[in-house]
Amino acid sequence: MSRSFGRRVGVLSYALFWGLCGAAYALGEDQTLGTIRAPSEQRAWQLTQQTLAQMGSAPELLERATAVWTSHAHLPLLDRVVETLLVADPQARAVLEAARDESAPAPLTVPDWFRDSSRPVFLRANVAVYYAKLLGTRRIHEEALHTLKLFRPEQVVDPATYYFFKAAAEHKLQLKEDGLASIHRLLTSVIPVPERYRVVAELMKTEMEQWRDEDLGRIARDMDNVERRLDLARGGPKTQQLQKDIVARLDKLIEQLEQQCQSCSAGSGTIRSSAPATDSRIMKGAGPGQVDQKHLVRSLELWGKLPEKEKIKALEEISRNYPPHYREAIEEYLRRAARGR
C-alpha cells in the first residue's frame, strides 16, 4: 500500500467518522442546545403559507386560510396558526374536536394522524402542541406527553407552550427527572416565556425537588393519580395496583407510628389499658371474599367501621408534621374508596 493511498484512506475515515457523529446528533430530540426563539408573527405566517402550498391547497382554500389568519389576529400565535391550517385538513379538525369534547371518552393511544409522514411536519407539530394542551386541561396526561414526544420544540411556533405542557404532564405522572429537565429548558432556553408559565413552572420545580419516595406526599400524589384515572374510566390493572400500593404504604406508615407510640409508652413507664384495641380489630367474616384484593378490601372496611373519634385520631397521627391538604386527600380517598370507587 502506498503512502499516498494510506493518507487518502485516513482522510476518508476521518470524514466518515465525523459525518456519522453529525448524523447521530441530528437525530437527537433537541437539535438546538442553545436558545429556542419563537418566530415572529410575520415568519409564522410565511411558514403557514409554505405549508398550505406544500399541501397542494386549492386557490379558494388559500383565500379562506388568509381570511382566517386575518380574522384571528386576537388569538395567541399557536392558536392562530392551527386555526388557519385546519382549513386545509378536515381530519386534523376532527382530531382536535374529539380532544376538546369533555363528554367524549379519553383517547387510549395517540391518533395515527400525528404519525402520517405524508403531511407536513409543521402542520403535525403545531397541531400536536394544541392537542396536548387540550388533553392537559382534561387531565389526560399520558397521551398528551406521548404526542409531544413525537416532535421537537424547534418545529413549532410556540416552544414555551410545548415545554410547559410537557413539564405539566411529567409532573402529574411523577416523572421527576424528565419534568425538571423540561422546566430547565423552559426557563433558561426559550424566548419568550409568558409570565404565567414561568410562575407555575417555578412552583412545579420547587415541589418536585422536595419529592421523596417514601413520604406521605408520595401517598397523596398516588391518591390524586388514582382519582384522575378513575375519572377517566381507567380502572384497569394499573389503577388497581396503584390502590394496593397506597394501602400498603398507609399500613407501613401506621405501623411505624404504632411502634413509635409503643416505644414512647415503654420509655415513660406508663401503664396503658389495652381495651381500645378491641374497637379497631378486624372482625371475622365481614370481608366480601375477594381473595386477590383481600387486604385492600379489609383495610377499607376497617376504616368504614371506625367511630368518628377514632377516624379523627388516626388522621391526626398520620398527617402530623405534614400540610393540611395531605390529611384532606387521605380522608377523601378513603371516603370514596369505602363507597366502592
Side-chain angles (χ1 to χ4, degrees):
M1 179 184 294
S2 67
R3 183 175 300 178
S4 176
F5 179 76
R7 192 161 45 244
R8 291 177 184 177
V9 171
V11 172
L12 179 60
S13 300
Y14 182 82
L16 180 60
F17 170 77
W18 285 109
L20 290 174
C21 289
Y25 174 76
L27 292 174
E29 181 180 355
D30 286 352
Q31 293 183 18
T32 303
L33 298 179
T35 300
I36 304 176
R37 188 181 298 272
S40 64
E41 178 181 321
Q42 181 180 3
R43 177 58 179 161
W45 174 232
Q46 291 175 350
L47 293 170
T48 302
Q49 288 177 306
Q50 293 172 8
T51 301
L52 291 169
Q54 187 179 350
M55 296 168 67
S57 300
E60 59 271 16
L61 285 178
L62 292 175
E63 291 180 5
R64 284 177 53 195
T66 302
V68 170
W69 178 267
T70 304
S71 63
H72 287 70
H74 61 287
L75 293 180
L77 188 58
L78 174 67
D79 301 46
R80 192 178 182 187
V81 168
V82 170
E83 288 295 332
T84 303
L85 292 173
L86 292 182
V87 171
D89 197 323
Q91 292 186 28
R93 183 178 296 279
V95 168
L96 293 182
E97 287 178 353
R100 187 181 286 112
D101 184 4
E102 296 186 358
S103 63
L108 299 177
T109 60
V110 177
D112 292 336
W113 184 90
F114 291 105
R115 295 187 173 90
D116 185 358
S117 58
S118 66
R119 290 179 164 86
V121 67
F122 182 80
L123 166 68
R124 291 182 289 124
N126 283 282
V127 172
V129 177
Y130 196 87
Y131 178 78
K133 183 169 69 170
L134 293 175
L135 293 188
T137 60
R138 294 177 58 188
R139 302 202 300 171
I140 308 174
H141 304 302
E142 293 87 350
E143 285 68 33
L145 182 58
H146 294 159
T147 303
L148 288 174
K149 284 185 174 181
L150 294 175
F151 306 97
R152 300 192 307 273
E154 298 91 347
Q155 296 171 326
V156 303
V157 298
D158 192 350
T161 296
Y162 173 96
Y163 271 122
F164 177 80
F165 280 94
K166 185 173 182 288
E170 290 161 343
H171 170 265
K172 289 299 183 181
L173 297 175
Q174 301 190 57
L175 302 175
K176 180 179 178 179
E177 297 303 324
D178 293 341
L180 290 175
S182 295
I183 290 175
H184 177 74
R185 289 287 282 159
L186 173 66
L187 298 179
T188 63
S189 302
V190 177
I191 299 176
V193 177
E195 187 61 24
R196 65 185 186 279
Y197 285 179
R198 186 179 298 277
V199 171
V200 176
E202 290 284 4
L203 291 174
M204 289 193 295
K205 177 177 180 290
T206 301
E207 181 182 351
M208 283 191 286
E209 288 175 340
Q210 297 175 353
W211 282 358
R212 300 295 181 268
D213 289 337
E214 298 299 331
D215 64 354
L216 194 59
R218 171 64 184 273
I219 297 175
R221 294 192 298 272
D222 285 345
M223 288 177 176
D224 180 70
N225 192 27
V226 167
E227 180 183 1
R228 178 187 68 86
R229 293 181 64 86
L230 290 173
D231 288 342
L232 296 175
R234 294 180 176 180
K238 183 174 181 179
T239 300
Q240 294 171 14
Q241 185 59 49
L242 282 172
Q243 290 177 313
K244 294 177 183 179
D245 292 343
I246 289 169
V247 174
R249 290 193 181 98
L250 283 173
D251 283 345
K252 182 178 179 180
L253 184 59
I254 293 173
E255 182 180 355
Q256 292 174 349
L257 290 171
E258 289 176 346
Q259 291 175 352
Q260 292 176 7
C261 291
Q262 291 173 0
S263 300
C264 293
S265 299
S268 62
T270 304
I271 300 176
R272 298 180 181 272
S273 172
S274 59
T278 304
D279 294 335
S280 60
R281 184 179 298 127
I282 301 173
M283 302 303 294
K284 295 181 180 180
Q290 297 179 8
V291 179
D292 58 333
Q293 296 186 1
K294 185 176 180 180
H295 187 71
L296 172 63
V297 173
R298 187 168 65 238
S299 299
L300 295 177
E301 287 192 344
L302 172 60
W303 176 261
K305 292 177 181 179
L306 283 176
E308 192 63 29
K309 290 183 178 179
E310 294 294 331
K311 290 182 183 179
I312 295 174
K313 182 179 179 181
L315 286 170
E316 288 176 348
E317 290 292 335
I318 294 173
S319 58
R320 184 172 296 170
N321 299 324
Y322 291 96
H325 69 273
Y326 286 155
R327 168 179 171 165
E328 296 172 3
I330 294 172
E331 189 173 17
E332 178 63 18
Y333 175 79
L334 293 171
R335 186 184 300 116
R336 293 192 178 196
R339 291 200 301 263
R341 288 293 301 273

